[in-house]
Amino acid sequence: MRYALISDIHANLPALEAVLDHIAAQSDIAATYHLGDLVGYAPWPNETVALLNERGIEGIAGNYDSTVATDYKHCGCKYEDPRQEELSHVSFGWTKEHTSGETKKILGALPFRLDVKPNGGHASGPTLILVHGTPTLNTVYWTDDRPDSFCTQMAALAGAKAGDVIAFGHTHLPWHREVDGIYFVNTGTVGRPKDGDARAGYAVVELGAGKVNVEHRRLDYDVERAMRGIRESDLPDDFAEFLRTANRP
Ligand SMILES: [Fe+2]
């Protein structure tokens, strides 16, 4: 079974539309799941959640979703300098203000984790475990430089066994590796890349029949439209520039 995993859309509707069209054109993909952070930084929080609902795409709560839904004091994001911190607070305030009550209700109802069993729950076989950050918190950054011991520790906490896949996002940096027969996949980001490549991204994970394959996909989308949307809103123009450079402002 092949699954498309989309994470960290961050209210970038043009990027989400391009990714969903790309996935829809592949008849061998059994299902699509989102890994959270549907909102923040771009001006389409309600439209993003509505489109996912319309397409019947289920998924989990990212830190942005759970903090907006619960009116938390900050988004649970990491910042590296005072300017980034200031921008982060502006984005969070704007998003809380412009996300409708209906959308917040949907965000607040998202589960923390989702388990997918390609063979069905009645038969043994691998499990695809979806979380946003790590199996313990959606705010912890699971980057590629974490040692293998961190991966096995997280796998134990998640109850994963050899052949299983743990997929997550949150860092906006795609990577994957295998440790002790367990596969760890960071899906990257649909709508807010941080690796210098401005294209939208998602992952395809194939599991079942004793094998696991992971592919990271990138595709062009209408970045100009996304930048225009940000500039026409009250969000800082820095976020538009960020989408073009795919780097921190
Ligand atoms: Fe994110």
Side-chain angles (χ1 to χ4, degrees):
M1 295 279 260
R2 290 163 73 79
Y3 299 98
L5 304 179
I6 60 176
S7 191
D8 298 270
I9 300 160
H10 284 297
N12 185 340
L13 189 66
L16 176 62
E17 288 172 350
V19 163
L20 293 183
D21 285 351
H22 200 252
I23 293 167
Q26 299 165 65
S27 57
D28 59 344
I29 289 182
T32 302
Y33 294 100
H34 75 74
L35 278 69
D37 270 10
L38 309 182
V39 301
Y41 305 106
W44 296 283
N46 301 309
E47 294 84 348
T48 295
V49 171
L51 179 58
L52 291 170
N53 260 8
E54 195 184 299
R55 302 280 178 102
I57 295 170
E58 294 182 355
I60 54 177
N63 55 297
Y64 228 105
D65 312 312
S66 56
T67 55
V68 164
T70 57
D71 205 21
Y72 196 58
K73 55 183 182 290
H74 57 71
C75 63
C77 318
K78 184 177 72 177
Y79 10 82
E80 259 129 54
D81 55 60
R83 174 69 181 148
Q84 221 182 77
E85 182 174 355
E86 188 191 329
L87 288 171
S88 172
H89 288 312
V90 174
S91 166
F92 192 56
W94 188 98
T95 302
K96 282 200 289 188
E97 195 186 326
H98 290 82
T99 301
S100 71
E102 193 190 337
T103 302
K104 281 183 184 167
K105 205 171 153 195
I106 295 170
L107 295 177
L110 290 170
F112 175 79
R113 160 181 169 164
L114 201 61
D115 285 7
V116 180
K117 285 184 168 283
N119 296 352
H122 55 278
S124 62
T127 304
L128 169 62
I129 298 166
L130 309 178
V131 292
H132 179 71
T134 68
T136 54
L137 282 174
N138 63 18
T139 48
V140 176
Y141 291 82
W142 197 342
T143 43
D144 195 17
D145 58 2
R146 294 272 193 186
D148 285 356
S149 58
F150 182 87
C151 296
T152 48
Q153 188 194 354
M154 289 299 139
L157 287 166
K161 60 184 186 315
D164 289 348
V165 179
I166 304 180
F168 44 93
H170 189 47
T171 69
H172 301 204
L173 300 167
W175 60 270
H176 71 276
R177 72 178 189 259
E178 183 201 333
V179 182
D180 296 341
I182 301 169
Y183 295 79
F184 302 89
V185 183
N186 191 314
T187 62
T189 169
V190 169
R192 193 168 154 82
K194 290 183 178 177
D195 59 358
D197 180 344
R199 294 176 298 168
Y202 68 98
V204 174
V205 173
E206 180 178 10
L207 74 166
K211 60 168 185 175
V212 173
N213 282 315
V214 181
E215 289 168 43
H216 292 288
R217 305 255 172 90
R218 297 300 278 265
L219 63 143
D220 289 319
Y221 75 99
D222 195 347
V223 184
E224 289 300 325
R225 186 181 146 216
M227 292 174 72
R228 218 164 39 240
I230 292 168
R231 290 199 189 106
E232 286 167 5
S233 77
D234 300 331
L235 284 164
D237 289 352
D238 304 61
F239 296 148
E241 196 54 24
F242 190 103
L243 292 185
R244 194 180 60 76
T245 60
N247 212 331
R248 293 178 177 85

